Each structure stands twice: as C-alpha cells, then as structure tokens.
Amino acid sequence: MANDTLASLRVAPAKPFSLRQHDPGDTLGWNKEAAETELEAVKLRLDALQVRLFAEERRSVLLVLQAMDAAGKDGTIRNILSGLNPAGFHVTGFGVPGGPETQHDYLWRVHEMVPRKGVIGIFNRSHYEDVLVVRVKNFVPRSVWSKRFDHIRDFERMLGDEGTTVVKCFLYVSKDEQRERLQERVDDPEKRWKFRLGDLDDRTLWPKYQKAYEDAIGRTSTAAAPWYVVPADRNWVRNLAVAKILLHHLERLDPQLPEPEEGIEGVVVR
Ligand code: AMP
Ligand code: MG
C-alpha cells in the first residue's frame, strides 16, 4: 500500500495548515474496482489485529471522525465495521449537549466514552465540536473556545501516554457534493429523517466552518494524535482511506497475544 499516500493526508504538527492543499475530489491515484477489492483485504487485516488488541487488553485505539453534514461519517463507520466483530468496537455519536452534559466541562462526556483497553472506539463527532460549531455559532466567546486547543492537545497526549492511540480524520467533502447529498436527503423519504432545516444554516456558514476546521486541525495535529484530511466526495476513496489509516496505526501498535497459561501445551481435551 502506498504509505506515501497516507502520509500525504497526514497533517504535519506545528505548521500553518490550509485546506487548499487538499482536494475533496481526489482519488489518490486509486480506481474504484481495485479499491473495493483492497478494502476487503484491509478489513481482514483489521479483523485479525483487532482480535489481538482485544486479547492483549493493554491498549486501545480511538478514531475520531469529524466532518460537515453529509460527508459520510455514518457511512464510513457502517462500511468499515460491517463484517467485523462488533465486540471489539465501540461507536459513540455526540450531538447537542443535554442534561448533565451541560453541567460539566466539555471534555467530561467525551472522556467517559474513550474506549477501554482492548477496544477500538470510534467517535462520530467529538470534543472538536466545541471548537467548531460552538465557535462558528458563537455559543461561547472567543476567550473561552480559544483556550480549548491547548486543553485538547493535553487531553489527547494524556490518553496516548496512558495507552490510547488517538487518530483523527476530517472527511473533506466539497460544497457542491454536499448540496447533492442534502438534496437527496430531502427528496428520498428513506433519507429524510437525516435532514434538519438547521443543516442549511450550517451550509451558509461554510467559509466560517472551513476556517474553524483549519485552525482546529492545524493546532491539534500532533505526532502522537495526528489529523488526516480524507477526500470524501467519493465514498469508495473515503472508505478505503479511513480503513487504511486505522490499519496503519494498529500495525504500528503490533498487539501481541498473551502468553498462554502454563501447562496448557499437550493438554488433550476428552
Ligand atoms: P448529527 O451528527 O447530524 O446527528 O447532528 C449532531 C448535531 O449536534 C450537529 O449539528 C452538531 O454540530 C451538534 N453538536 C455536537 N456537539 C456539539 C456541541 N458540543 N455543542 C453544540 N452542538 C453540538
Ligand atoms: Mg446531521
């Protein structure tokens, strides 16, 4: 697999970052048919490594997915996890905070859902909403959200030190492609439940969101918890890229099966 391809999606730490260097329509030099075949092979590897991670029970992985509406967060999760052992994964979606969530700091609800040892956690939205929608819609003043980049870097570094590898993907969809997908949500009765009129407000705030994403990604991509910008106008590119990114980090962890109990060898089960 061209690891260079993944490296080209990874955002370098501590450098100014611009989305202009990335193209939502990029195919990364792949073609659809080969990509779909490769995805199945990547998933077999993911399955094998996930079993080892689970058996080892020492470390965990947290994959954060962030994106504008209709970029395909749900679709990516469904696609990558289908056919894999659900016991090894834990998916959490974060919506508008409610109830006790509003009575705590913004990381409280997130920390609670960080995967336990042996498990791969996937966040559909995350603590990044607290420097994205919260910033764009002025839910808190700049003096409050601007401190959060430091909190988030520290929080993710702590998770890394304590055994949770954090990997973050921004599914980068173009405004045109989003229009088509939102229109489809309106037109298709099976998809209409996903559409809210508020999605149109977010669309009018597109440039503000892009700026907020650039700041968030640029300021929180670290060697320990990198951001990847995944081209998301084509589902098959997006799916394979995210699967490969997850696989790459699992391979780096290289989880080991635990030593068997002493005396097992030679046991005959009658
Ligand atoms: P969806 O992912 O489409 O189900 O929508 C979830 C909604 O919750 C999105 O509009 C998010 O922007 C919003 N959301 C998630 N986290 C927060 C947060 N911390 N503050 C405000 N809104 C949030
Ligand atoms: Mg939505």
Side-chain angles (χ1 to χ4, degrees), residues 69-70 73-74 125 182 185 194-196 199:
D69 276 307
K73 297 183 293 298
D74 301 287
R125 303 187 190 268
L182 288 179
R185 286 184 179 181
K194 277 199 169 195
F195 186 83
R196 289 190 214 99
D199 295 349

Side-chain angles (χ1 to χ4, degrees), residues 69 73 94-97 109 124-126 129-130 133-134 139 194 196 199 202 209:
D69 276 307
K73 297 183 293 298
F94 292 97
V96 180
R109 64 174 183 165
N124 184 336
R125 303 187 190 268
S126 66
E129 294 291 326
D130 294 282
V133 62
V134 164
F139 291 158
K194 277 199 169 195
R196 289 190 214 99
D199 295 349
D202 280 345
Y209 271 107

